Amino acid sequence: MQPDLLPALIQTWPDTMSGHCHLALALSGGLDSMVLLDLLCRWRDEAGGPALSAIHVHHGISPHADDWLQHCQQACDARGVALHAERVSIGSARGQGVEAVARAARYQVFSASAATIIALAHHADDQSETVLLQLLRGGGVKALAAMPCWRTWHGKQLWRPLLGVPRARLAAYAADRGLHWVEDDSNQDAANYLRNHLRLQVLPGLRQRQQGLDARLARSAAQMADAAAILDEVAAQDWQALHDAASGALSLAAWQVLSAPRQRHVLLHWLGKLGWQAPAPAALLSLQSALLAGQDARLDGETGVVLSYRSQLLAMPWGSRSAWPVPCVPGQTLRLASGELRWVWQAGGLSAAPGVVWQLRSRQGGESLSTRVGRKALKKLFQEAAVPALLRDSWPVLCDEAGQLLALPGVAVAADRAQPEGWWPQWQPLSIPRD
């Protein structure tokens, strides 16, 4: 008989997690999750473990999905475990796409759960598959670190207590305990799923050639996790040194002093703190090259765009166009979805009578502004101020009560309206219209 798995599971539960918590098991009905369900129920009943519920995600992919749900419900009923079943739709994805979309759907259900801890039944064989899979995909150190035992995710804790246990031991435990489970027929499809190809055709041969293969891969993953943690620490320190808390931008001059790898990692750290998806490596390298060459640089993403402006790197979300015109009072900050109008009292500014209300409006095209050397087109003023082309189209102008142009905020004030001292309007873009 195999050694009992329960003590090993309990050892992965840190003392900091003691006390009241809401623990939910991700229950597919397969061998792995049925073993974990049995272990968690034993812990609850025999050793005062935490209260337990379960989550089953019904993907609707397999014709047996209803039977799997029924199996999970019966198993939970027999053990006094509340089961929450959620039906999801994954559309018409095919091949690896269906695997990725199904996973995303599962994790969406997990994120909506009231549970603070989600227990997942990944085991040592899964870890080996993940390391090789990420290597074949060209993943970096974070990807090659594979799956941690504990991970903070969307305000929850993901817990994988069986990560150090080979699947063969789970099967032996299930046999000893008389457990029943379902078999996902797609697990035998090595033609359409790379993970299945690794599991069924690659790893068995490697295990025969290399003794202790899974332990070696797990050790490599742990070393990669250490390396990733160190990179994160350095990137956090760099971000702290480069970040302007007021504008949210990074200092471009200070960024350029860093080594090339640190430049890329601090950008990834910055975007991660903003909740943005990491850009493709090629896109990140292209942005870096343009910035180092002193060229106008931008990186478009799903959430927004990164671009250089006035010795800073800005990360601006996509937004909608402002509904111009908008009234504004000199000296009073005006914050809109597209940007913020601020005021600075300085030489050469605009005078304003008490109670006056001016307007921000959109550019009409062909406007010009008086300067000390004659009138200049706004396009020329934008160029001289090095305002990125991406920002110009949604950049507002400032007009007086009669509709006369007073300023291009943040760029220039009309020379024929300037006073020895007065208000200088400053425009800080906050979002960019995607169209």
Side-chain angles (χ1 to χ4, degrees), residues 13-52:
W13 184 268
D15 293 338
T16 54
M17 294 297 174
S18 299
H20 299 288
C21 69
H22 188 162
L23 172 64
L25 164 65
L27 184 66
S28 68
L31 167 68
D32 316 334
S33 64
M34 289 302 297
V35 167
L36 187 52
L37 173 66
D38 188 75
L39 286 167
L40 291 174
C41 288
R42 285 183 55 206
W43 186 24
R44 177 198 63 188
D45 299 337
E46 300 172 12
L52 174 68

Side-chain angles (χ1 to χ4, degrees), residues 42-174:
R42 285 183 55 206
W43 186 24
R44 177 198 63 188
D45 299 337
E46 300 172 12
L52 174 68
S53 64
I55 302 171
H56 177 80
V57 181
H58 185 297
H59 299 99
I61 303 171
S62 170
H64 308 296
D66 289 340
D67 295 334
W68 298 344
L69 172 56
Q70 183 180 9
H71 169 80
C72 290
Q73 187 65 66
Q74 292 173 346
C76 287
D77 290 344
R79 293 168 172 82
V81 174
L83 176 68
H84 172 73
E86 186 82 23
R87 293 177 181 265
V88 298
S89 173
I90 66 163
S92 58
R94 292 290 184 268
Q96 281 196 15
V98 72
E99 186 179 25
V101 175
R103 181 183 184 278
R106 285 196 302 276
Y107 276 75
Q108 183 64 35
V109 174
F110 299 160
S111 68
S113 169
T116 55
I117 301 174
I118 306 293
L120 303 169
H122 296 116
H123 48 73
D125 294 35
D126 292 327
Q127 185 77 313
S128 296
E129 294 165 15
T130 301
V131 172
L132 290 181
L133 193 62
Q134 295 296 351
L135 181 63
L136 293 174
R137 290 172 175 171
V141 291
K142 286 188 176 181
L144 294 176
M147 298 177 289
C149 181
W150 284 92
R151 176 190 170 198
T152 301
W153 174 80
H154 288 205
K156 302 181 186 302
Q157 295 292 325
L158 302 184
W159 178 37
R160 298 179 174 91
L162 303 179
L163 206 53
V165 182
R167 188 180 188 279
R169 282 195 63 192
L170 300 185
Y173 176 91

